[in-house]
């Protein structure tokens, strides 16, 4: 009988660990894969530009964004900082604040998964092609700041490197 009690408690402990491990996941149906790249304008790296991959696939998905560093390099964020993008097809927009523009907050808090104050407005403006100039003046050609006028398309594929060089004219 003692052996049975010990086996019961061992099984209970194992079951508890499985339940806790399942509870530790973020519960998101989206499974991003790493996506990085570089933005060039007239052959030169573009720093401090917001790169947005807007979801265009038929299946459920989510858009992703990132900001370029001094060498024009970026990593995309969907849920957690630099986690990448959900595999699928995207329209890409790129906007760079004019030096005189005010800063916008499109950050993602790594612990809570919450977005900066301007994230939703930026996503809506990028998707509709209206209002980006109201968020901030663009230092790049305006056509790249709207999904309606940007001709940049990319596909993110699970199992591939997903590193994109985006050259603007």
């Amino acid at each position: 009988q003692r052996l049975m009690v010990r086996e019961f408690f061992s099984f209970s402990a194992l079951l508890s660990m499985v339940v806790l491990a399942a509870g530790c996941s973020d519960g998101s149906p989206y499974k991003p894969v790493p996506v990085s790249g570089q933005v060039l304008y007239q052959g030169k790296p573009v720093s401090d530009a917001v790169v947005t991959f807007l979801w265009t696939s038929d299946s459920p998905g989510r858009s992703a964004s990132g900001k370029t560093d001094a060498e024009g390099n970026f990593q995309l964020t969907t849920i957690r900082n630099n986690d990448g993008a959900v595999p699928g097809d995207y329209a890409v927009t790129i906007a760079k604040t004019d030096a005189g523009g005010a800063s916008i907050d499109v950050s993602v808090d790594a612990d809570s998964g919450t977005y900066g104050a301007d994230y939703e407005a930026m996503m809506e403006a990028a998707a509709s092609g209206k209002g980006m100039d109201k968020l901030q003046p663009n230092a790049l050609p305006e056509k790249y700041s709207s999904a309606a006028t940007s001709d940049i398309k990319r596909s993110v594929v699970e199992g591939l490197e997903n590193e994109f060089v985006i050259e603007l004219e």
Side-chain angles (χ1 to χ4, degrees):
Q1 183 140 345
R2 241 176 143 197
L3 184 59
M4 226 171 149
V5 170
R6 192 172 15 178
E7 287 173 356
F8 174 76
F9 283 116
S10 295
F11 177 75
S12 295
L14 179 62
L15 183 61
S16 296
M17 287 190 301
V18 170
V19 169
L20 285 173
C24 289
S25 73
D26 64 9
S28 172
Y30 307 110
K31 303 299 179 215
V33 298
V35 176
S36 61
Q38 183 182 36
V39 176
L40 303 171
Y41 178 53
Q42 298 176 341
K44 297 178 184 158
V46 178
S47 64
D48 298 317
V50 176
V51 179
T52 306
F53 277 48
L54 295 159
W55 184 258
T56 61
S57 293
D58 290 335
S59 61
R62 188 171 183 163
S63 297
S65 66
K67 190 169 185 179
T68 59
D69 64 14
E71 289 80 40
N73 297 315
F74 66 89
Q75 292 183 351
L76 293 182
T77 295
T78 297
I79 299 166
R80 303 233 183 271
N81 281 337
N82 302 327
D83 64 352
V86 177
D89 298 323
Y90 294 86
V92 179
T93 63
I94 302 170
K96 177 180 167 68
T97 303
D98 189 355
S103 179
I104 62 172
D105 180 10
V106 295
S107 63
V108 178
D109 182 272
D111 294 325
S112 67
T114 58
Y115 296 98
D118 301 308
Y119 182 85
E120 291 299 327
M122 188 238 356
M123 285 295 194
E124 185 177 315
S128 69
K130 299 175 184 170
M132 283 299 276
D133 57 336
K134 291 178 183 146
L135 285 175
Q136 294 183 307
N138 196 355
L140 296 171
E142 198 61 38
K143 80 175 204 168
Y144 297 117
S145 68
S146 166
T149 56
S150 174
D151 55 358
I152 305 168
K153 310 282 186 234
R154 294 293 186 270
S155 293
V156 173
V157 180
E158 188 171 4
L160 294 184
E161 195 165 312
N162 296 304
E163 188 169 320
F164 304 106
V165 175
I166 301 172
E167 297 188 41
L168 310 177
E169 304 171 350

